[in-house]
């Protein structure tokens, strides 16, 4: 019989690593300990995202000794979301845990996540209750970001989450078939749907080293998130244009009243009214261009139009063929539980 180390993995742990030489040995130790205790065939997929320190050397040394380790070396630094996508594309498990290599998200939560998944849940995402060891700026900007994103998008992307999550193979396969280039993975997983449940936890400080997410990268991730999940910024000009036109029409009425009443300043008011209407028409034009651009943008992402979770159809049961009434519980058996991407 295949041992957990040699069998096809049931469980994959995927961790992107950028300059993580200090955290990697401890991450490997704690993750391996958790996986071994589960007694399931597993693999740990480590992705070296163009590190400039000894991360790749360390990975190779570990992989020489451990058949459960898969190490992927990217050609250069591609960034967290693409490094993660690369790891997800090579993992083979039926259940896949995405986790950072800096131990901010404890691998020891995996057994609990698996238990939640046993109840038919497709995605168990870690939701942070508390974030220890992170600057006030980072916490405040993250909190603001998730609230703004929540207002802009129609896809419910849970607040205070990272990419730390356990997902089923069917969710991962759909994710891998979404070809968009700017990947905000936690949003894409939310978009996929099915049953997703949070697991609340306290986020630890980094085990070692510094954040690999400076302000510039955080900003880029935020822009990717907003542009991948909302066309509202493109529509904003149109709304402003309409408001400006309405304001201009109001001013025009005020001009007329002032003129008829023989008051002073009708000329100035008229000029303002004209400028407001003119500016509004231009903004409205931009908004109309934005509507077309938004649709083009949505088409270019080539996401599936919809995803079917399962189909139930009436299937005559054996009892009906012999003339016995089928009980309500026996009608409409599931005939297909595979997700179908249109
Ligand atoms: N990371 C990566 N490529 C990058 C930046 C980060 O693979 O360009 C990895 C990093 O090694 C870590 C994870 O992505 O495992 C999250 O990064 P980090 O912990 O620095 O982000 P933070 O938790 O501070 O937001
Ligand atoms: Mg971190």
């Amino acid at each position: 019989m295949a041992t957990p180390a040699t069998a096809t993995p049931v469980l994959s742990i995927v961790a992107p690593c950028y300059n993580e030489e200090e955290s990697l040995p401890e991450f490997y130790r704690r993750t391996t300990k958790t996986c071994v205790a589960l007694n399931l065939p597993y693999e740990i997929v480590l992705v070296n995202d163009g590190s400039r320190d000894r991360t790749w050397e360390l990975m190779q040394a570990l992989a020489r000794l451990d058949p459960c380790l898969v190490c992927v070396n990217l050609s250069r630094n591609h960034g967290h979301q693409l490094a993660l996508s690369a790891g997800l594309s090579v993992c083979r498990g039926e259940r896949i845990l995405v986790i950072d290599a800096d131990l901010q998200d404890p691998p020891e939560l995996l057994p609990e996540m698996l238990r939640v998944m046993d109840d038919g849940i497709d995605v168990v995402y870690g939701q942070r209750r508390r974030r220890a060891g992170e600057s006030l700026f980072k916490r405040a900007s993250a909190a603001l970001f998730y609230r703004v994103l929540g207002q802009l998008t129609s896809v419910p992307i849970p607040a205070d989450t990272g990419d730390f999550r356990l997902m089923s193979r069917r969710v991962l396969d759909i994710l891998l078939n979404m070809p968009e280039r700017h990947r905000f993975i936690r949003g894409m997983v939310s978009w996929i749907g099915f049953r997703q449940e949070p697991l609340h936890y306290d986020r630890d400080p980094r085990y070692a080293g510094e954040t690999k997410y400076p302000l510039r990268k955080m900003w880029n991730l935020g822009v990717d998130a907003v542009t991948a999940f909302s066309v509202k910024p493109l529509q904003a000009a149109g709304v402003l244009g309409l408001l400006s036109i309405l304001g201009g029409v109001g001013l025009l009425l005020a001009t007329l009243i002032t003129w008829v009443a023989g008051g002073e300043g009708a000329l100035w008011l008229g000029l303002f009214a004209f400028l407001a209407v003119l500016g509004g028409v231009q903004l409205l034009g931009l908004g109309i261009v934005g509507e077309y651009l938004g649709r083009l943008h949505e088409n270019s992402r080539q996401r599936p139009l919809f995803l079917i979770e399962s189909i139930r159809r009436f299937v005559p049961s054996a009892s009906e063929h012999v003339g016995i009434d089928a009980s309500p519980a026996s009608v409409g058996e599931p005939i297909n539980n595979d997700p179908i991407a249109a």
Side-chain angles (χ1 to χ4, degrees), residues 252-267 269:
L252 209 61
L253 283 177
T255 310
L256 276 178
I257 293 166
T258 314
W259 183 60
V260 169
E264 284 181 14
L267 190 66
L269 267 179

Side-chain angles (χ1 to χ4, degrees), residues 27-42:
F27 171 78
Y28 169 73
R29 189 191 66 76
R30 276 174 57 183
T31 308
T32 300
K33 193 173 166 206
T34 307
C35 290
V36 168
L38 286 166
N39 200 26
L40 287 171
Y42 73 94

Side-chain angles (χ1 to χ4, degrees), residues 277-299:
V277 172
L278 189 68
V281 168
Q282 287 174 337
L283 280 172
L284 192 63
L286 263 182
I288 293 170
V289 173
E291 289 289 345
Y292 282 92
L293 204 61
R295 280 161 177 72
L296 259 178
H297 173 63
E298 278 171 347
N299 278 341

Side-chain angles (χ1 to χ4, degrees), residues 2-242:
T3 63
T6 54
T8 307
V10 168
L11 190 64
S12 294
I13 321 292
V14 181
C17 307
Y18 178 55
N19 295 342
E20 297 287 4
E21 63 176 5
E22 291 165 291
S23 305
L24 199 56
E26 182 63 7
F27 171 78
Y28 169 73
R29 189 191 66 76
R30 276 174 57 183
T31 308
T32 300
K33 193 173 166 206
T34 307
C35 290
V36 168
L38 286 166
N39 200 26
L40 287 171
Y42 73 94
E43 64 177 358
I44 300 177
V45 180
L46 298 174
V47 183
N48 175 39
D49 186 19
S51 299
R52 278 171 284 124
D53 65 0
R54 293 187 57 259
T55 299
W56 178 236
E57 284 73 29
L58 266 173
M59 282 184 187
Q60 290 178 92
L62 292 170
R64 272 194 285 274
L65 303 172
D66 185 350
C68 296
L69 208 53
V70 180
C71 297
V72 180
N73 194 29
L74 296 189
S75 60
R76 61 172 173 82
N77 179 249
H78 282 76
H80 177 210
Q81 299 291 292
L82 294 186
L84 182 53
S85 303
L88 291 173
S89 75
V90 302
C91 73
R92 294 167 297 156
E94 283 305 309
R95 292 177 172 193
I96 302 98
L97 177 75
V98 173
I99 188 167
D100 290 349
D102 60 357
L103 290 169
Q104 282 200 276
D105 309 315
E108 291 78 12
L109 289 180
L110 177 57
E112 209 175 325
M113 290 173 135
L114 287 168
R115 266 195 299 280
V116 177
M117 194 170 255
D118 286 341
D119 293 335
I121 306 297
D122 274 274
V123 177
V124 186
Y125 56 89
Q127 194 161 36
R128 301 152 185 179
R129 258 188 315 237
R130 210 171 49 83
R131 302 161 68 122
E134 287 186 323
S135 67
L136 182 66
F137 174 74
K138 181 130 193 169
R139 279 180 284 140
S141 54
L144 181 70
F145 167 68
Y146 282 111
R147 265 100 211 144
V148 171
L149 191 62
Q151 292 301 313
L152 287 179
T153 168
S154 54
V155 181
I157 300 173
D160 307 320
T161 57
D163 288 315
F164 180 44
R165 62 196 58 218
L166 182 69
M167 52 187 151
S168 63
R169 172 51 64 178
R170 70 169 175 175
V171 167
L172 178 61
D173 283 344
I174 294 166
L175 181 71
L176 293 175
N177 276 317
M178 291 166 76
E180 58 204 77
R181 302 186 65 82
H182 296 277
R183 300 180 83 75
F184 182 61
I185 290 174
R186 63 206 77 164
M188 292 164 75
V189 173
S190 298
W191 181 89
I192 289 171
F194 301 125
R195 289 178 67 192
Q196 310 206 1
E197 288 285 332
L199 184 86
H200 299 281
Y201 74 110
D202 295 329
R203 203 169 197 226
D204 293 330
R206 232 177 190 282
Y207 176 75
E210 286 182 348
T211 175
K212 309 301 178 303
Y213 256 97
L215 190 59
R216 176 181 53 83
K217 281 189 183 174
M218 267 166 62
W219 176 261
N220 289 342
L221 185 71
V223 173
D224 280 353
V226 170
T227 53
F229 288 94
S230 177
V231 288
K232 282 189 185 157
L234 279 173
Q235 297 166 330
V239 176
L240 284 178
L242 273 179

